[in-house]
Short mmCIF file of all heavy atoms in Angstrom, two decimals:
data_model
loop_
_atom_site.label_atom_id
_atom_site.label_comp_id
_atom_site.label_asym_id
_atom_site.label_seq_id
_atom_site.Cartn_x
_atom_site.Cartn_y
_atom_site.Cartn_z
N ASN K 409 7.08 9.20 0.84
CA ASN K 409 5.64 9.13 1.13
C ASN K 409 4.98 8.03 0.31
O ASN K 409 4.20 7.23 0.82
CB ASN K 409 4.96 10.46 0.83
CG ASN K 409 5.33 11.55 1.82
OD1 ASN K 409 5.91 11.26 2.86
ND2 ASN K 409 5.00 12.78 1.50
N MET K 410 5.31 8.00 -0.98
CA MET K 410 4.69 6.99 -1.85
C MET K 410 5.08 5.58 -1.39
O MET K 410 4.25 4.67 -1.38
CB MET K 410 5.13 7.19 -3.31
CG MET K 410 4.38 8.32 -4.01
SD MET K 410 4.71 8.35 -5.79
CE MET K 410 3.75 6.96 -6.41
N GLU K 411 6.33 5.43 -1.01
CA GLU K 411 6.78 4.10 -0.54
C GLU K 411 6.02 3.67 0.71
O GLU K 411 5.69 2.50 0.88
CB GLU K 411 8.29 4.13 -0.24
CG GLU K 411 9.13 4.17 -1.50
CD GLU K 411 10.61 4.45 -1.25
OE1 GLU K 411 10.96 4.93 -0.15
OE2 GLU K 411 11.41 4.23 -2.18
N ALA K 412 5.73 4.65 1.57
CA ALA K 412 5.01 4.32 2.80
C ALA K 412 3.54 4.01 2.52
O ALA K 412 2.93 3.18 3.18
CB ALA K 412 5.10 5.50 3.78
N GLU K 413 2.97 4.67 1.52
CA GLU K 413 1.53 4.53 1.27
C GLU K 413 1.14 3.24 0.56
O GLU K 413 0.06 2.70 0.82
CB GLU K 413 1.01 5.71 0.42
CG GLU K 413 1.08 7.07 1.10
CD GLU K 413 0.29 7.14 2.39
OE1 GLU K 413 -0.66 6.37 2.57
OE2 GLU K 413 0.66 7.96 3.24
N LEU K 414 1.99 2.74 -0.33
CA LEU K 414 1.56 1.59 -1.16
C LEU K 414 1.11 0.38 -0.34
O LEU K 414 0.01 -0.12 -0.56
CB LEU K 414 2.64 1.20 -2.18
CG LEU K 414 2.26 -0.02 -3.03
CD1 LEU K 414 1.01 0.24 -3.86
CD2 LEU K 414 3.41 -0.46 -3.93
N PRO K 415 1.95 -0.10 0.61
CA PRO K 415 1.48 -1.30 1.35
C PRO K 415 0.19 -1.06 2.12
O PRO K 415 -0.64 -1.96 2.23
CB PRO K 415 2.65 -1.62 2.30
CG PRO K 415 3.59 -0.48 2.23
CD PRO K 415 3.30 0.32 1.00
N ILE K 416 0.00 0.16 2.63
CA ILE K 416 -1.24 0.45 3.39
C ILE K 416 -2.43 0.39 2.42
O ILE K 416 -3.47 -0.19 2.73
CB ILE K 416 -1.19 1.85 4.04
CG1 ILE K 416 0.08 2.07 4.85
CG2 ILE K 416 -2.42 2.05 4.92
CD1 ILE K 416 0.24 3.51 5.37
N THR K 417 -2.24 0.98 1.25
CA THR K 417 -3.36 1.04 0.29
C THR K 417 -3.75 -0.37 -0.16
O THR K 417 -4.93 -0.70 -0.23
CB THR K 417 -2.97 1.91 -0.92
OG1 THR K 417 -2.58 3.19 -0.43
CG2 THR K 417 -4.12 2.07 -1.88
N VAL K 418 -2.75 -1.19 -0.44
CA VAL K 418 -3.06 -2.56 -0.88
C VAL K 418 -3.77 -3.33 0.23
O VAL K 418 -4.74 -4.06 -0.02
CB VAL K 418 -1.76 -3.27 -1.36
CG1 VAL K 418 -2.00 -4.74 -1.61
CG2 VAL K 418 -1.23 -2.58 -2.63
N LYS K 419 -3.32 -3.13 1.46
CA LYS K 419 -3.96 -3.79 2.61
C LYS K 419 -5.44 -3.38 2.71
O LYS K 419 -6.31 -4.22 2.93
CB LYS K 419 -3.18 -3.38 3.88
CG LYS K 419 -3.59 -4.06 5.14
CD LYS K 419 -2.59 -3.78 6.28
CE LYS K 419 -2.62 -2.34 6.77
NZ LYS K 419 -1.98 -2.15 8.09
N TYR K 480 -3.44 -1.95 -9.76
CA TYR K 480 -3.02 -0.79 -8.95
C TYR K 480 -1.60 -0.98 -8.44
O TYR K 480 -0.75 -0.10 -8.57
CB TYR K 480 -3.98 -0.59 -7.76
CG TYR K 480 -3.64 0.64 -6.96
CD1 TYR K 480 -4.09 1.89 -7.36
CD2 TYR K 480 -2.83 0.57 -5.82
CE1 TYR K 480 -3.75 3.04 -6.67
CE2 TYR K 480 -2.48 1.72 -5.12
CZ TYR K 480 -2.96 2.95 -5.55
OH TYR K 480 -2.60 4.09 -4.85
N GLU K 481 -1.35 -2.15 -7.87
CA GLU K 481 -0.04 -2.42 -7.26
C GLU K 481 1.07 -2.32 -8.31
O GLU K 481 2.11 -1.71 -8.08
CB GLU K 481 -0.09 -3.82 -6.64
CG GLU K 481 0.94 -4.02 -5.57
CD GLU K 481 0.70 -5.29 -4.76
OE1 GLU K 481 -0.32 -6.00 -4.98
OE2 GLU K 481 1.56 -5.58 -3.90
N PHE K 484 1.49 1.29 -9.61
CA PHE K 484 2.10 2.13 -8.58
C PHE K 484 3.61 1.92 -8.57
O PHE K 484 4.39 2.89 -8.55
CB PHE K 484 1.50 1.78 -7.22
CG PHE K 484 1.74 2.80 -6.15
CD1 PHE K 484 0.76 3.71 -5.80
CD2 PHE K 484 2.95 2.86 -5.48
CE1 PHE K 484 0.97 4.66 -4.81
CE2 PHE K 484 3.18 3.81 -4.49
CZ PHE K 484 2.18 4.70 -4.15
N ALA K 485 4.03 0.65 -8.59
CA ALA K 485 5.46 0.34 -8.56
C ALA K 485 6.15 0.94 -9.79
O ALA K 485 7.27 1.48 -9.70
CB ALA K 485 5.65 -1.17 -8.51
N LEU K 488 6.32 4.76 -9.42
CA LEU K 488 7.31 5.10 -8.39
C LEU K 488 8.72 5.00 -8.96
O LEU K 488 9.57 5.87 -8.72
CB LEU K 488 7.11 4.16 -7.19
CG LEU K 488 7.98 4.38 -5.97
CD1 LEU K 488 7.91 5.81 -5.46
CD2 LEU K 488 7.55 3.43 -4.85
N ARG K 529 -8.86 6.27 -0.55
CA ARG K 529 -8.62 5.13 0.35
C ARG K 529 -9.36 5.35 1.67
O ARG K 529 -9.90 4.40 2.25
CB ARG K 529 -7.11 4.96 0.59
CG ARG K 529 -6.78 3.73 1.40
CD ARG K 529 -5.29 3.67 1.73
NE ARG K 529 -4.90 4.83 2.52
CZ ARG K 529 -3.64 5.26 2.63
NH1 ARG K 529 -2.66 4.64 2.00
NH2 ARG K 529 -3.37 6.31 3.36
#
Side-chain angles (χ1 to χ4, degrees):
Chain K
N409 289 348
M410 282 190 74
E411 287 170 343
E413 295 301 335
L414 178 62
I416 309 173
T417 304
V418 171
K419 186 169 69 163
Y480 184 83
E481 202 168 356
F484 196 101
L488 183 54
R529 185 186 61 200

